[in-house]
């Protein structure tokens, strides 16, 4: 129980750091990559909370958004 709580706090802290990096990075490609890392952390949180179907939906949607953004530049 305490391990799950500490892992969730660590992931939350890393998501905040990635969010700040998105705002302060000058390169749009790096910002998109930091956003993808945040999406992967969100998926990891749903897997820790035993919501596998929601994690699968997250992965499918985020991969689609990533390809849409990267190929429309």
């Amino acid at each position: 129980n305490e391990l799950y709580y500490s892992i969730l706090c660590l992931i939350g802290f890393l998501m905040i750091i990635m969010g700040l990096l998105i705002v302060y990075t000058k390169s749009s490609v790096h910002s998109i990559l930091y956003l993808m890392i945040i999406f992967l952390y969100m998926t990891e949180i749903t897997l820790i909370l035993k919501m596998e179907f929601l994690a699968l939906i997250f992965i499918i949607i985020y991969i689609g958004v990533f390809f849409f953004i990267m190929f429309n530049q």
Side-chain angles (χ1 to χ4, degrees):
N1 237 355
E2 293 178 13
L3 179 65
Y4 287 134
Y5 180 73
S6 61
I7 290 173
L8 289 175
C9 287
L10 177 66
I11 293 172
F13 180 71
L14 291 173
M15 287 175 69
I16 291 171
I17 290 174
M18 291 296 148
L20 291 173
L21 285 173
I22 289 172
V23 173
Y24 292 115
T25 301
K26 294 183 180 180
S27 172
S28 63
V29 174
H30 288 125
S31 295
I32 292 171
L33 291 176
Y34 293 140
L35 185 64
M36 292 302 296
I37 292 172
I38 288 178
F39 291 157
L40 289 175
Y41 285 151
M42 287 175 51
T43 304
E44 187 176 346
I45 287 174
T46 56
L47 286 174
I48 289 173
L49 296 174
K50 300 195 186 315
M51 295 184 280
E52 293 87 7
F53 182 72
L54 187 60
L56 180 67
I57 296 296
F58 279 165
I59 291 173
I60 290 171
I61 290 172
Y62 296 147
I63 288 174
V65 168
F66 175 72
F67 284 120
F68 180 77
I69 290 172
M70 291 303 287
F71 291 127
N72 282 331
Q73 286 188 354

